[in-house]
Amino acid sequence: MASLRKRKRSKGALYWIERRRRKRKVENPNIIDDLPQSLLLHEIFSKLRNPRDLVSCKNVSKRWNSLISSSSSHHNPSLALILNTQPHQYGTNDICLEGWKGFDLSNYVHPEFHPPICVLASCKDVLLCMKSEELYIVNPVTMHWTRLPDPCGATWGLPIGLIGNGRKGLYHVVNLVMSTRSCFRLFSFDSMLGTWKGVGVQHPPWSQSGWCPTQYQALAFKGALHWLAEDGPVVAYNPNDQNTCLLIHRSHDMSHASYGADAIVSETLTVSTGHLRILQLVASVDHRHLYIWTLVDYKRSIWRREREPTSFTDLPWLQEWTFSDQNYMLMSRFVTQPETRKRILYPKPLCCHPYNPLLVFFCLPESIVSLDVATKQIKLITTLSKSSTQGVYWNEYDKVIPMTMHLDPSLIPDHGHVLQRRRKHRFIRV
């Protein structure tokens, strides 16, 4: 009987508690309480701007993983620009253009991976870094990293590229050493084998001397690394097919001679919306324009010009152009007599946005800006010190490395190392 009375008393107490709660809800309705939990989580996840926080939330449960993966606000990878801002110390910073923020290599430390660090190349969300002539593969989202074997000094000041399969954690690092009229030589590292190998590649000649790439970093596209030869074709090399390469020739309208004998052309190879594109800045006596060329047929080398050329006469920040002689310190390995005597130093085209080919980023003497070709609107991305932008030639390291961050971070082979956040020192006053 006593237990029955306790049960009735507890039911009565619950009844009055529920009644008071309903009465309070009618008097002060709370819309948040009526929302489904999935919608609340979507709203919370959309506010997270640090990709590392999102990756951590995905590991909580399958439901959270599904909600974050299906979120429209984080569906597309986020573009970031990695800056090698100090020419002699190779300090790195990040600019995340879509709002995902939070990684900065200088904020993390490891006895072997202590800044200053130079970023040489990228492949999706993985960076190829160098410190004291030692090479590292780093994922700045997971902060996993691994050190590569000694390449015997082959990488110093020479073009390089990174390509791989992030899901399997397999990568190739390719270092372009020298070129002649009909062949080029490179060193290739295979993470599966863990060794470097020298490779010589033959190709049909297209110039009287060797070819010179316009950028230090090779672009990964369709399973191959791509370099744009100065006033020549795009050279594609697949590390899995070591003894051959593919030449993607440009059309006659894209050659430097087609712009006139007095024209000076600066060009950059980039990737946007699944197509290779060439950005050409052309300066002559009567005009200064930006041309965007799209490779519409990869196998048949068919190019198409995007829109009409963009004139720079009415655009602020882009009117002051600086010209400089080529730096031939290391060019002797590639060309004996350079065909182009001068190049545009500033403004320098960096890349197109990966999902908007008409949004182009430029490096100016003391800033980085974006230009919307459709509306001709210019936006300041960041300011730079004048000393940090010196040396933008291909044979000194690229000062800006584009990178895309994903919700599914790429794996690092045999990483065994995780960068830890640097501790803040607290000073106690006595």
Side-chain angles (χ1 to χ4, degrees):
M1 293 296 292
S3 61
L4 181 60
R5 282 195 298 269
K6 289 182 180 180
R7 198 176 305 163
K8 288 182 178 180
R9 196 178 302 124
S10 62
K11 286 184 178 180
L14 291 175
Y15 168 77
W16 288 108
I17 292 175
E18 181 68 18
R19 185 174 177 178
R20 286 195 210 99
R21 190 185 70 82
R22 290 181 180 178
K23 184 178 180 180
R24 196 181 301 115
K25 186 175 180 180
V26 173
E27 293 175 354
N28 302 310
N30 190 349
I31 301 177
I32 300 298
D33 292 340
D34 296 334
L35 294 176
Q37 187 180 8
S38 59
L39 186 58
L40 292 175
L41 290 174
H42 270 295
E43 183 65 22
I44 295 173
F45 293 149
S46 65
K47 302 299 182 182
L48 296 178
R49 298 304 181 188
N50 188 340
R52 194 176 297 109
D53 294 338
L54 287 168
V55 172
S56 299
C57 290
K58 288 185 65 176
N59 296 329
V60 171
S61 65
K62 292 183 179 179
R63 184 165 179 267
W64 282 33
N65 186 4
S66 176
L67 289 174
I68 295 176
S69 300
S70 61
S71 176
S72 59
S73 59
H74 302 298
H75 178 69
N76 291 330
S78 178
L79 173 66
L81 300 181
I82 312 298
L83 305 182
N84 293 321
T85 55
Q86 301 179 18
H88 301 291
Q89 296 180 357
Y90 304 128
T92 61
N93 294 308
D94 69 285
I95 305 173
C96 197
L97 304 179
E98 271 73 43
W100 277 14
K101 297 182 181 294
F103 77 87
D104 188 349
L105 292 179
S106 62
N107 288 335
Y108 291 80
V109 66
H110 188 277
E112 190 175 347
F113 197 83
H114 192 279
I117 303 296
C118 178
V119 179
L120 306 182
S122 67
C123 179
K124 296 182 179 179
D125 58 341
V126 176
L127 301 178
L128 177 65
C129 305
M130 184 180 71
K131 171 182 168 56
S132 303
E133 302 188 32
E134 294 282 352
L135 292 179
Y136 300 84
I137 296 179
V138 185
N139 188 319
V141 176
T142 62
M143 302 313 293
H144 291 171
W145 64 276
T146 187
R147 181 168 59 89
L148 304 187
D150 184 13
C152 301
T155 60
W156 184 253
L158 296 174
I160 199 168
L162 172 67
I163 192 171
N165 186 334
R167 293 183 179 274
K168 297 181 179 180
L170 302 177
Y171 297 93
H172 285 89
V173 178
V174 177
N175 189 199
L176 184 60
V177 179
M178 63 174 295
S179 72
T180 62
R181 182 171 177 267
S182 59
C183 71
F184 59 89
R185 183 169 178 79
L186 48 83
F187 280 99
S188 177
F189 172 79
D190 187 346
S191 63
M192 181 177 293
L193 301 178
T195 58
W196 291 85
K197 181 180 179 181
V199 180
V201 181
Q202 302 287 333
H203 61 77
W206 71 82
S207 64
Q208 298 300 322
S209 60
W211 57 277
C212 167
T214 60
Q215 299 159 254
Y216 181 87
Q217 177 190 202
L219 293 183
F221 181 73
K222 287 187 177 294
L225 291 171
H226 297 74
W227 278 288
L228 176 62
E230 183 77 27
D231 199 18
V234 176
V235 182
Y237 173 74
N238 187 343
N240 294 317
D241 191 5
Q242 296 185 355
N243 297 322
T244 61
C245 68
L246 175 67
L247 302 182
I248 306 175
H249 293 277
R250 64 177 77 194
S251 63
H252 175 72
D253 297 337
M254 301 170 62
S255 64
H256 295 187
S258 65
Y259 297 114
D262 63 333
I264 301 174
V265 182
S266 177
E267 51 193 4
T268 301
L269 184 66
T270 183
V271 178
S272 179
T273 61
H275 292 278
L276 282 178
R277 303 175 192 272
I278 294 179
L279 305 176
Q280 286 186 327
L281 281 177
V282 181
S284 62
V285 176
D286 56 344
H287 74 279
R288 294 178 177 180
H289 289 82
L290 169 67
Y291 293 81
I292 303 178
W293 299 91
T294 302
L295 182 62
V296 294
D297 195 319
Y298 187 86
K299 294 183 178 181
R300 296 190 294 172
S301 302
I302 298 178
W303 296 85
R304 181 189 65 197
R305 189 176 70 186
E306 294 286 345
R307 302 174 63 90
E308 291 297 319
T310 302
S311 175
F312 281 40
T313 55
D314 300 328
L315 297 177
W317 292 342
L318 298 179
Q319 294 180 357
E320 298 295 331
W321 290 36
T322 304
F323 304 92
S324 176
D325 294 335
Q326 292 258 22
N327 187 343
Y328 301 125
M329 179 176 62
L330 294 173
M331 196 175 294
S332 59
R333 295 193 181 199
F334 294 89
V335 290
T336 55
Q337 296 184 3
E339 301 174 2
T340 305
R341 296 171 55 188
K342 290 185 177 181
R343 291 181 61 189
I344 299 172
L345 186 61
Y346 294 114
K348 178 179 177 60
L350 298 175
C351 62
C352 290
H353 192 279
Y355 299 100
N356 183 5
L358 300 181
L359 186 60
V360 183
F361 299 93
F362 292 91
C363 183
L364 304 184
E366 297 183 11
S367 61
I368 292 179
V369 300
S370 64
L371 169 64
D372 191 331
V373 176
T375 61
K376 291 190 176 181
Q377 292 183 352
I378 297 179
K379 179 181 178 182
L380 176 65
I381 302 301
T382 187
T383 57
L384 304 171
S385 63
K386 191 171 183 179
S387 60
S388 68
T389 55
Q390 295 177 354
V392 294
Y393 303 106
W394 65 270
N395 55 0
E396 302 176 27
Y397 303 116
D398 291 340
K399 300 305 173 186
V400 181
I401 303 294
M403 166 191 164
T404 54
M405 292 181 290
H406 302 253
L407 279 177
D408 295 320
S410 301
L411 300 178
I412 299 297
D414 301 327
H415 62 87
H417 306 91
V418 179
L419 296 179
Q420 303 296 329
R421 185 176 293 276
R422 189 187 301 273
R423 294 182 179 179
K424 296 182 179 179
H425 297 283
R426 296 181 180 179
F427 298 94
I428 302 175
R429 296 182 180 179
V430 181

